[in-house]
């Protein structure tokens, strides 16, 4: 969770796959129920054939994080 001002917080997650021969990473954010996913970052010469990733927000207690 990151405080972004005016009492608002944004949840940010960075996902990384690291194998012996390649790495793929991307970031997703959730702000007020809107989920944004950012472009993939890759190392080596790899190709993504299917993108079926879905991200959803979960209910949480703010007191657990702040």
């Amino acid at each position: 969770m990151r405080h972004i001002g005016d009492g608002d917080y944004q949840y940010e997650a960075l996902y990384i796959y690291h194998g012996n021969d390649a790495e793929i990473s991307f970031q997703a954010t959730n702000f007020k129920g809107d989920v944004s996913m950012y472009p993939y970052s890759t190392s080596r010469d790899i190709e993504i054939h299917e993108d079926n990733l879905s991200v959803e927000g979960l209910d949480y207690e703010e007191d657990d994080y702040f």
Side-chain angles (χ1 to χ4, degrees):
M1 298 294 284
R2 182 169 70 97
H3 184 257
I4 57 174
D6 293 331
D8 291 325
Y9 289 85
Q10 174 173 286
Y11 177 79
E12 300 176 349
L14 176 63
Y15 300 90
I16 299 174
Y17 166 80
H18 179 73
N20 292 333
D21 56 352
E23 182 175 294
I24 302 169
S25 64
F26 69 93
Q27 180 179 0
T29 60
N30 182 339
F31 178 65
K32 294 186 176 181
D34 291 324
V35 176
S36 299
M37 194 171 97
Y38 299 91
Y40 293 96
S41 173
T42 61
S43 68
R44 308 272 176 127
D45 188 21
I46 65 173
E47 182 179 343
I48 298 172
H49 292 277
E50 183 177 336
D51 178 359
N52 62 357
L53 177 71
S54 65
V55 178
E56 65 183 62
L58 301 175
D59 291 333
Y60 64 89
E61 294 293 327
E62 287 190 11
D63 293 338
D64 293 341
Y65 294 92
F66 308 109

